[in-house]
Amino acid sequence: MLFRSSPRDDGQIVLATPIPGVAPESDLTVRAARLLQQASACTQGATIHLDKQLPMGGGLGGGSSDAATVLLALNHLWQTGLSRPALEKIGLGLGADVPVFIHGQNTFAEGVGEHFTDVTLPASHYLVLHPPVNVPTGVIFGAPELVRNTPRINPADWHPGVGHNDLEAVACKHFPAVAEHLALLRQSSPRAMMTGSGACVFAGFSTQEAAEGALAGLPDGIDGWIAKGLDEHPLARL
């Protein structure tokens, strides 16, 4: 995501780059800005310019990250002075994934996304594949075959490679393209997994060259890209 915001004196929140088919009042960035206004009693407004890079419906938390960025950036721009935990509480009202982006560290999130235990991850380059399907979250969570009794993992016992995604089997069953892309990626990385509730799948590689080699070995027409892992959010120290 590329984000830019300019202040307004009229108190209005204007999204200069609306997403086709998404009403402004439903857009998470607009909702985030208005919630921050309410929580801080701020009378300023903002014009928001957003250039989305991540596919919608990919399970990558793009909308949640956008909302978190708006809260962090406008808290700074408007000088509202809210603490990061206060912003996390506002973010939780927008979605369970928003607080983790505001938290800004690699972390093990529990509860509904508001309790954090920070973790250290090895330096990685991630190869992400985007199957040509949009996976509705409601379909996955509403599936009767979804497992709901997986034992809880203690954050202190977790390390990369431990655990799995219960939503993955459901998405693969209902959306064969997800299963196909996952199988392709597992040819070069057996630990490849699905992101969130799908549709994207990903695998971590120790070097960019290894990730590029895996991408180059995929069949033509596969939509994929490489992203370098970060130790903290770019606005973590804002």
Side-chain angles (χ1 to χ4, degrees), residues 113-218:
E114 81 281 23
H115 299 306
F116 305 118
T117 303
D118 291 348
V119 297
T120 300
L121 299 180
S124 297
H125 287 76
Y126 295 94
L127 172 55
V128 184
L129 305 185
H130 180 216
V133 293
N134 188 329
V135 177
T137 302
V139 171
I140 304 302
F141 280 95
E145 69 271 25
L146 177 61
V147 175
R148 300 180 184 274
N149 59 352
T150 298
R152 174 182 176 274
I153 296 177
N154 187 325
D157 298 330
W158 182 88
H159 59 80
V162 171
H164 63 278
N165 184 350
D166 285 334
L167 308 179
E168 188 176 278
V170 180
C172 288
K173 174 184 176 181
H174 290 268
F175 301 90
V178 175
E180 293 165 2
H181 280 64
L182 192 56
L184 284 172
L185 192 51
R186 283 180 173 161
Q187 293 177 8
S188 57
S189 179
R191 289 184 175 178
M193 299 177 65
M194 185 182 75
T195 62
S197 59
C200 289
V201 298
F202 73 99
F205 295 85
S206 59
T207 66
Q208 183 173 342
E209 291 74 19
E212 290 174 345
L215 179 58
L218 294 172

Side-chain angles (χ1 to χ4, degrees), residues 72 76 84 102-105 231-238:
L72 289 166
H76 177 75
R84 197 165 290 258
I102 298 172
H103 182 70
Q105 308 292 325
D231 290 330
E232 63 179 18
H233 191 283
L235 301 182
R237 301 182 186 275
L238 185 64

Side-chain angles (χ1 to χ4, degrees), residues 36-57:
L36 182 59
Q37 281 181 322
Q38 295 169 15
S40 64
C42 180
T43 59
Q44 297 183 69
T47 299
I48 299 172
H49 300 261
L50 181 68
D51 181 9
K52 290 189 69 67
Q53 302 291 312
L54 295 177
M56 295 182 65

